[in-house]
Amino acid sequence: MKTILLVHGLWVTPSSWESFQHYYEARGYRVIASPWPGIKGDVPAMRRDASSLNGIGIAEVMAHYISIIKSLPEPPIIMGHSYGGLITQLLIDQGYGSAGVAIDSVPPKGILILPWSTYMALTPAFLKPGTFKGTFLFTFEQFWRVFANSLTEAEARAAYEQQAIPASGRAIFQAALANMTPNALSTINFKNGSRAPLLMIAGEKDVIMPAALNRKNFHKYQGASVTEFKEFPGRSHYIIAEKGWEEVAEYAVTWAEKKAK
């Protein structure tokens, strides 16, 4: 049985992958959607107390997923959304996985100019005292505007209540300050010719990680390894759970099956 490892991003739990997980399990895959270290309990529990996420950054998240991968009988297909897309790129670059799919990915170090909408989406986190050592939770209005902007207000409010948790400030700042950080943990060898194939997926209407940013990330790769890009029209950052998610899920797994090493 082939395994798909699903890596979630900031502000959500593995439940954000629920539709994808059921979809792939129904097709015979073993699917692992493990929470980041520091996520303890469900959404209401994390809203009450998210202090367990304090200090959780790239190193801790990478160690967690590498441990899972090493316990498997064969390299899995790795799919990551948002910050999970960055983790996916790092895992693939470091030799893990048979194929990688990075969806609406946070960029690694080396993408020098970010879109204005990305800066604006993250500004509330940067301006909140204590974010670096603690956590930051989007308000509903911020979540709707930058995370789920293609949904109706009612749909977005339901998604917020079901999914939104505080995000680790350390992880936010590690990504945001990567280009100013020597030996940043989000450094990728874009010329790595031996890594597994990588697909980058973007949503046309994504505000926080726009399609143009994902395309710029894609164009950084220059090595001999397979790297492809796919943009889905009309999709927001909530692409893995909004209307039409099935098309994204099917495209991702079909591509990975064809390209996997």
Side-chain angles (χ1 to χ4, degrees):
M1 180 183 297
K2 291 188 177 180
T3 301
I4 298 176
L5 176 65
L6 299 175
V7 184
H8 66 87
L10 299 173
W11 289 290
V12 294
T13 72
S15 66
S16 62
W17 285 113
E18 186 175 18
S19 296
F20 271 55
Q21 182 166 359
H22 292 164
Y23 189 82
Y24 292 148
E25 287 175 342
R27 281 156 177 75
Y29 291 95
R30 178 190 183 194
V31 182
I32 300 174
S34 177
W36 279 30
I39 292 183
K40 302 182 185 301
D42 55 15
V43 169
M46 291 303 297
R47 291 253 192 116
R48 288 192 298 271
D49 181 7
S51 59
S52 55
L53 276 171
N54 293 352
I56 297 296
I58 292 174
E60 292 76 17
V61 177
M62 284 291 289
H64 173 70
Y65 287 107
I66 288 172
S67 175
I68 292 174
I69 293 170
K70 286 183 174 179
S71 72
L72 300 175
E74 61 181 8
I77 294 169
I78 305 172
M79 295 187 189
H81 173 244
S82 193
Y83 213 98
L86 170 61
I87 298 299
T88 296
Q89 292 187 66
L90 291 168
L91 288 170
I92 292 296
D93 184 47
Q94 294 180 24
Y96 298 99
S98 60
V101 180
I103 303 172
D104 290 352
S105 183
V106 168
K109 180 175 181 175
I111 314 300
L112 299 180
I113 300 177
L114 302 182
W116 181 246
S117 63
T118 301
Y119 289 115
M120 292 302 294
L122 294 174
T123 294
F126 299 151
L127 295 180
K128 182 184 175 184
T131 294
F132 179 76
K133 292 184 178 179
T135 59
F136 174 80
L137 175 64
F138 279 136
T139 65
F140 165 69
E141 288 75 17
Q142 291 163 344
F143 177 86
W144 188 20
R145 185 174 66 250
V146 306
F147 207 96
N149 47 296
S150 65
L151 278 62
T152 66
E153 180 175 1
E155 291 170 340
R157 192 171 293 281
Y160 184 78
E161 295 304 321
Q162 293 168 6
Q163 303 289 348
I165 67 169
S168 162
R170 181 178 178 83
I172 295 172
F173 278 89
Q174 281 183 324
L177 301 178
N179 290 321
M180 295 175 278
T181 307
N183 303 314
L185 294 177
S186 62
T187 300
I188 295 275
N189 176 9
F190 292 109
K191 297 182 180 179
N192 184 350
S194 61
R195 64 158 169 78
L198 173 66
L199 170 66
M200 302 203 67
I201 289 178
E204 179 199 14
K205 300 296 185 183
D206 192 334
V207 172
I208 192 168
M209 297 295 155
L213 177 60
N214 279 267
R215 190 180 294 277
K216 186 180 291 187
N217 187 166
F218 160 70
H219 283 302
K220 287 290 290 186
Y221 285 98
Q222 302 171 12
S225 296
V226 172
T227 313
E228 295 185 10
F229 178 84
K230 171 69 175 178
E231 180 177 328
F232 284 87
R235 313 303 169 84
S236 72
H237 198 67
Y238 205 56
I239 188 171
I240 63 171
E242 68 181 320
K243 183 179 180 181
W245 63 264
E246 299 93 334
E247 184 183 12
V248 181
E250 180 63 28
Y251 188 94
V253 76
T254 300
W255 183 93
E257 282 284 15
K258 288 181 179 177
K259 304 292 184 179
K261 284 188 173 181

